Amino acid sequence: MAVSAGGLGSLVGLDGSDSLAHVHRLCGYQSPMVDLADAVHGICAVHGAHPGIVDHALARDGGSPAAEWLARAATGFAVERTYIATLTASVGPLPSTPGQAETEAALVTQRHALDMLACSDRFGVSLGAAVALVLDWPAIRTLLDHAAERSGIACDAMLLPRPAATNAMLGALALTPAIDRAMKFGTQQVLAQHRALWQLLEARAEARGAR
């Protein structure tokens, strides 16, 4: 059977970064620059290192029918990492916030959880995780571009596969129900980690405001 191309996209639509009020607040022109800078640093801590989710998935599933899509996604995300690094340097140091040690521990835990997910031995989990990242990234990219604009730096072009290409890849996969479930699990877990990141960043913004 073919994995549901709309199924993973629907999960991202319901539970992805674009569904969260704090993300939309950060993308508004009234958002404090300190909160945007904190978000950029958080995204860098979770997704700024190589290898990342897509790289792990390519290493594990590079011989699958999704190989071409994964290769394109890995190339595109290499550009994103460079953009994140440039932007992190431009927004300045990590804002001083109560509970910094706990934040650093939480971010390390998130990064480890994503790495473990992308390296799963259960076929389909890493691909589902990569799909979740690629489909959720445009919402994150909107925030990064907003921070870049307000910092006075150029926005790099995003080279990740477009949703139509992702859906075409998913629709062409002939997978068993078990692998379909594994892909959905990978997608759900990445979205859960992203929600946890935004919740952490929102709590940090509130803590700075309460000082």
Side-chain angles (χ1 to χ4, degrees):
M1 62 176 289
V3 67
S4 171
L8 300 187
S10 295
L11 289 175
V12 175
L14 288 172
D15 296 326
S17 297
D18 194 49
S19 69
L20 301 176
H22 187 58
V23 177
H24 288 275
R25 281 195 294 270
L26 287 172
C27 291
Y29 281 95
Q30 301 303 314
S31 61
M33 191 62 203
V34 66
D35 292 347
L36 265 178
D38 200 38
V40 170
H41 278 276
I43 293 165
C44 184
V46 174
H47 289 301
H50 179 272
I53 291 175
V54 179
D55 306 293
H56 286 306
L58 178 61
R60 301 190 72 79
D61 300 334
S64 76
E68 182 179 351
W69 182 91
L70 283 167
R72 287 179 56 202
T75 299
F77 212 82
V79 174
E80 295 303 298
R81 274 192 296 270
T82 300
Y83 184 41
I84 293 169
T86 301
L87 187 53
T88 302
S90 297
V91 299
L94 185 70
S96 174
T97 308
Q100 185 59 41
E102 292 83 354
T103 293
E104 291 175 1
L107 291 173
V108 169
T109 298
Q110 279 200 319
R111 174 73 194 190
H112 179 69
L114 289 171
D115 283 344
M116 292 295 290
L117 186 69
C119 293
S120 173
D121 289 332
R122 183 182 173 194
F123 183 76
V125 171
S126 60
L127 179 57
V131 168
L133 178 62
V134 169
L135 290 179
D136 200 37
W137 196 254
I140 297 174
R141 185 51 130 81
T142 297
L143 183 150
L144 295 175
D145 287 348
H146 181 58
E149 181 181 351
R150 290 181 59 177
S151 300
I153 68 172
C155 302
D156 291 342
M158 188 172 72
L159 302 179
L160 292 174
R162 298 298 180 184
T166 302
N167 286 340
M169 179 273 291
L170 292 173
L173 295 179
L175 302 177
T176 66
I179 298 176
D180 185 43
R181 289 192 296 271
M183 290 183 65
K184 288 177 181 175
F185 174 79
T187 297
Q188 290 167 334
Q189 292 303 305
V190 167
L191 297 179
Q193 292 298 329
H194 282 181
R195 288 196 304 275
L197 174 61
W198 296 121
Q199 289 163 2
L200 173 64
L201 293 169
E202 184 174 17
R204 283 173 58 80
E206 291 172 353
R208 285 190 296 271
R211 284 189 301 187

